[in-house]
Amino acid sequence: MAKNDIREFTLNQLEEYLEQKDEKRFRAKQIQEWLWKKSAHSFEQMTNLSLPLRKMLAEDFVINSLKEDLVQESEDGTIKMRFKLFDDNLIEGVLIPSKARVTACVSSQAGCSLDCRFCATGFMKLKRNLFAGEIYDQVVLLTKKSIEAYGQPLANIVFMGMGEPLLNYKNVLAAIDKITSENGLNISAKRITVSTSGIAKLIKKLGDDGVRFELALSLHSANNIKRSKIMPINDSNPIPDLVEALNYFHEKTGNKITFEYILFDGFNDSVQDARELIDLCNKVPAMVNIIEYNTVEGVPYKKSSEKKREAFAGYLEQNGIVVKVRLSRGKDIDAACGQLANK
Ligand code: SAH
Ligand code: SF4
């Protein structure tokens, strides 16, 4: 029988296990401190535990940690790290340095089950959900690399790598809990953004769970018919349902909401599209991130011209919308949004 991953055990479960084995319950806290705060990847490292206890743990459990598999650096300074999971699946995380800060982009699943028509991750289908420890490890390893490469830790973490975070709800929240905890990495939840393709029921659940991180919705069109054309998830989660869910989330948490909007040439970049987006922004307290499309092979959509992008952003701004334009980074190493697919 496969051994349990010890990081899947709660403090309580560990205490019970230790008690059964005639060990002291308080050792559970020490073990968890090694597992999370000190991100130990082996039981030998746990030097304040007796040798027999370390041996027993190694007999009964595994620590399914990530292994660095490949590091690629872009000419613009972006670094992509590929990680191997214990079952040989591969996932990717990205470091994006800007003037004064480093943002890490992490994955929540190996692959994705929601085949958005423009996204390379969607094309590779879902392999499996990541465990909380695997999400956590990405942050640990990306932090280490960030300090090595840029001399500074992470300023922001975005769940914009592979996968749909809300379809791995429990593990994503458990990982964020540890990332933000004093007993973990102690990174403020305000520095974390979870990006979702929009699952209304789960957005509401985030509100009920009173999460402290920020939320981004991959909108890409404020027109319900158009959005369904590029994002099949919109059929079961249409824009009116998302509006209701986002307002619920905002009322419950007070947290910021961002609409992500990729501009596709001749598809969603007209004045009419901008007007529909402005109308939507009047229904939800959200700002807009305009994203440059990164070409994916075999996709019929192309990115809009710079001129159109500026006109679109300008029109939103004139209408009082807070807009940021996010130009693509790390394209030469396929590290950009929506290009993560382990070619
Ligand atoms: N599944 C989540 C988070 C991962 S995708 C979501 O869809 O929100 C992160 C962001 O990258 C999303 O806004 C997504 O729409 C965008 N994206 C996907 N493919 C892209 C591409 N080829 N170029 C630019 N952005 C892309
Ligand atoms: Fe999945 Fe997000 Fe890509 Fe859509 S855009 S296929 S939800 S990773």
Side-chain angles (χ1 to χ4, degrees):
M1 212 177 76
K3 293 181 194 175
N4 283 316
D5 183 343
I6 193 165
R7 288 190 297 185
E8 289 289 296
F9 267 50
T10 61
L11 184 64
N12 221 299
Q13 288 171 316
L14 262 187
E15 285 170 346
E16 274 166 26
Y17 161 83
L18 290 166
E19 203 159 42
Q20 271 173 22
K21 299 278 182 178
D22 285 329
E23 287 280 347
K24 296 272 183 297
R25 285 171 76 91
F26 75 85
R27 298 276 177 216
K29 270 218 170 92
Q30 292 178 318
I31 295 169
Q32 285 217 324
E33 183 166 77
W34 278 109
L35 291 172
W36 299 104
K37 197 167 192 159
K38 300 181 186 161
S39 41
H41 287 172
S42 77
F43 295 104
E44 288 111 77
Q45 284 170 268
M46 305 184 177
T47 43
N48 60 353
L49 307 181
S50 71
L51 265 176
L53 175 54
R54 280 184 258 166
K55 236 182 106 208
M56 185 174 84
L57 291 173
E59 269 161 25
D60 290 344
F61 296 101
V62 285
I63 307 172
N64 284 329
S65 44
L66 291 197
K67 304 234 161 28
E68 189 179 304
D69 187 57
L70 182 72
V71 180
Q72 283 175 284
E73 187 163 353
S74 158
E75 33 191 53
D76 68 16
T78 301
I79 293 176
K80 179 164 81 172
M81 296 184 82
R82 189 169 75 189
F83 304 110
K84 191 178 255 184
L85 310 178
F86 70 92
D87 56 3
D88 285 347
N89 274 305
L90 297 168
I91 56 158
E92 292 172 333
V94 182
L95 288 172
I96 309 147
S98 65
K99 266 169 249 147
R101 301 171 309 159
V102 181
T103 299
C105 174
V106 299
S107 295
S108 55
Q109 301 180 307
C112 185
S113 61
L114 303 178
D115 38 13
C116 301
R117 304 288 185 236
F118 47 81
C119 174
T121 308
F123 294 168
M124 70 177 277
K125 306 293 171 211
L126 179 67
K127 307 279 193 257
R128 70 166 169 85
N129 279 336
L130 299 186
F131 290 104
E134 294 172 327
I135 297 169
Y136 186 89
D137 281 351
Q138 290 176 73
V139 178
V140 171
L141 294 171
L142 287 165
T143 299
K144 207 172 131 218
K145 182 62 74 188
S146 177
I147 291 168
E148 215 176 281
Y150 319 116
Q152 52 181 305
L154 308 179
N156 296 300
I157 300 168
V158 296
F159 282 74
M160 294 187 190
M162 296 172 148
E164 169 48 51
L166 297 192
L167 292 182
N168 186 13
Y169 191 97
K170 189 177 121 275
N171 294 348
V172 166
L173 262 65
I176 292 178
D177 190 55
K178 296 293 187 196
I179 291 166
T180 54
S181 162
E182 273 182 28
N183 302 319
L185 300 177
N186 207 7
I187 295 175
S188 161
K190 288 281 149 232
R191 294 166 174 272
I192 301 177
T193 301
V194 169
S195 172
T196 177
S197 57
I199 296 144
K201 178 175 95 202
L202 296 174
I203 291 173
K204 282 188 162 173
K205 183 163 164 54
L206 289 175
D208 288 331
D209 289 340
V211 300
R212 293 179 349 233
F213 52 77
E214 277 161 18
L215 190 62
L217 176 78
S218 297
L219 184 68
H220 309 324
S221 174
N223 179 295
N224 204 50
I225 295 168
K226 278 194 189 179
R227 191 169 189 267
S228 276
K229 279 194 184 149
I230 49 172
M231 302 181 72
I233 185 74
N234 193 65
D235 292 344
S236 48
N237 292 266
I239 292 174
D241 292 10
L242 295 175
V243 167
E244 196 214 325
L246 289 170
N247 279 310
Y248 184 86
F249 171 83
H250 185 71
E251 273 162 33
K252 289 272 176 174
T253 63
N255 293 358
K256 274 198 254 166
I257 296 168
T258 304
F259 286 146
E260 292 162 281
Y261 198 101
I262 305 174
L263 282 175
F264 296 110
D265 184 42
F267 178 75
N268 63 355
D269 59 355
S270 70
V271 174
Q272 175 62 24
D273 293 306
R275 283 203 195 107
E276 289 181 63
L277 179 53
I278 292 162
D279 284 346
L280 193 62
C281 289
N282 290 327
K283 293 185 194 146
V284 179
M287 55 163 286
V288 175
N289 254 352
I290 291 183
I291 304 174
E292 184 184 4
Y293 183 57
N294 303 305
T295 310
V296 173
E297 240 176 60
V299 171
Y301 303 100
K302 303 287 169 245
K303 71 171 178 181
S304 302
S305 66
E306 196 182 327
K307 208 172 136 206
K308 279 229 186 126
R309 184 173 67 226
E310 278 169 13
F312 194 91
Y315 190 72
L316 296 182
E317 272 170 350
Q318 281 161 29
N319 283 276
I321 311 293
V322 180
V323 184
K324 267 194 220 150
V325 176
R326 266 201 357 229
L327 296 183
S328 174
R329 302 285 304 272
K331 268 188 281 204
D332 52 329
I333 55 167
D334 283 339
C337 264
Q339 292 189 319
L340 304 183
N342 300 317
K343 269 193 204 153

